[in-house]
Amino acid sequence: MEQIPLEHILLLSALLFSIGVFAVISKRHAVVVLMGIELIFNAANLNLVAFSRHDPALLQGQLFSLFVIVVAAAEAAVALAIVLRVYQYFKTAHVNEVVSADNK
């Protein structure tokens, strides 16, 4: 079976990371910002697994990737709970409107 070159995997990871950063910086809706953060986590996981696969004797990258997945799941649950509470209080999930309403 032919392996995918490491450079292609790293390029895909960089693309995922860039899309995630763009979503975090440019979008105003809190759920979209959370999705961007998840894309950034997935790009990091892809790098960890790719480098771990590059050196099969070491499994630290795969183990650390599992840890990042657990942290990302916990972060998503807590962040969505916070977004729901903010929505109940401010009646909006747009980050800019919540920040401007807080300053009044």
Side-chain angles (χ1 to χ4, degrees), residues 7-73:
E7 294 81 17
H8 293 172
I9 297 173
L10 294 179
L11 187 64
L12 176 64
S13 177
L15 180 67
L16 279 175
F17 185 83
S18 300
I19 293 171
V21 168
F22 177 75
V24 169
I25 292 173
S26 68
K27 300 302 179 185
R28 293 182 296 169
H29 200 276
V31 176
V32 178
V33 171
L34 292 175
M35 289 171 51
I37 293 170
E38 292 298 324
L39 280 175
I40 292 170
F41 279 149
N42 286 332
N45 280 339
L46 190 58
N47 276 339
L48 289 169
V49 172
F51 284 118
S52 179
R53 189 172 150 214
H54 185 66
D55 188 5
L58 301 174
L59 292 178
Q60 286 92 353
Q62 293 175 2
L63 293 175
F64 193 66
S65 179
L66 286 174
F67 178 72
V68 171
I69 290 171
V70 169
V71 169

Side-chain angles (χ1 to χ4, degrees), residues 75-89:
E75 174 263 336
V78 170
L80 286 175
I82 291 171
V83 167
L84 286 174
R85 181 58 72 177
V86 166
Y87 182 77
Q88 286 177 348
Y89 186 76

